[in-house]
Amino acid sequence: MEQFIQFLYPFSWIISILSFSPQIIRLMRIKGPAKDISFLSWIMFQCNAVLAWSYTVFVVGDPLLSVTTTLVLTANITMVMVLVYKRIKYREVAVEEALSA
């Protein structure tokens, strides 16, 4: 069983990326400020990803786990950055529309 788990372990990053992909794709397709996606939740996920990455890199030192946590951190950063971009972009559009009315 241990050998089987060691064989599967390097593929854990695929599961991590696949778990983030639907949210990132959905966010990219939304044509508005994406208010139905919780910014606070994603900030908390981001904090957790930073802590997991820090622990893995600085304490555990396992290269395979470091790759996985780096990819999770990258996916989190992508999600938060796109969410921030959408909120800022569509807030400016709403302000411009309100001023022109």
Side-chain angles (χ1 to χ4, degrees), residues 25-99:
I25 291 168
R26 180 168 180 252
L27 181 61
M28 298 293 260
R29 290 183 177 169
I30 291 175
K31 303 258 192 270
K35 293 199 178 203
D36 58 333
I37 296 176
S38 173
F39 185 71
L40 182 59
S41 292
W42 279 98
I43 291 297
M44 289 190 296
F45 295 151
Q46 182 68 31
C47 290
N48 184 52
V50 168
L51 288 172
W53 179 85
S54 299
Y55 181 76
T56 301
V57 170
F58 298 117
V59 177
V60 176
D62 180 352
L64 290 175
L65 189 56
S66 295
V67 167
T68 299
T69 57
T70 299
L71 290 170
V72 169
L73 181 61
T74 302
N76 267 292
I77 289 170
T78 302
M79 187 70 182
V80 170
M81 294 303 290
V82 172
L83 190 54
V84 167
Y85 168 77
K86 293 251 181 189
R87 298 269 171 99
I88 290 172
K89 177 182 177 182
Y90 287 101
R91 180 177 52 192
E92 290 173 359
V93 169
V95 169
E96 288 174 13
E97 288 175 359
L99 291 175

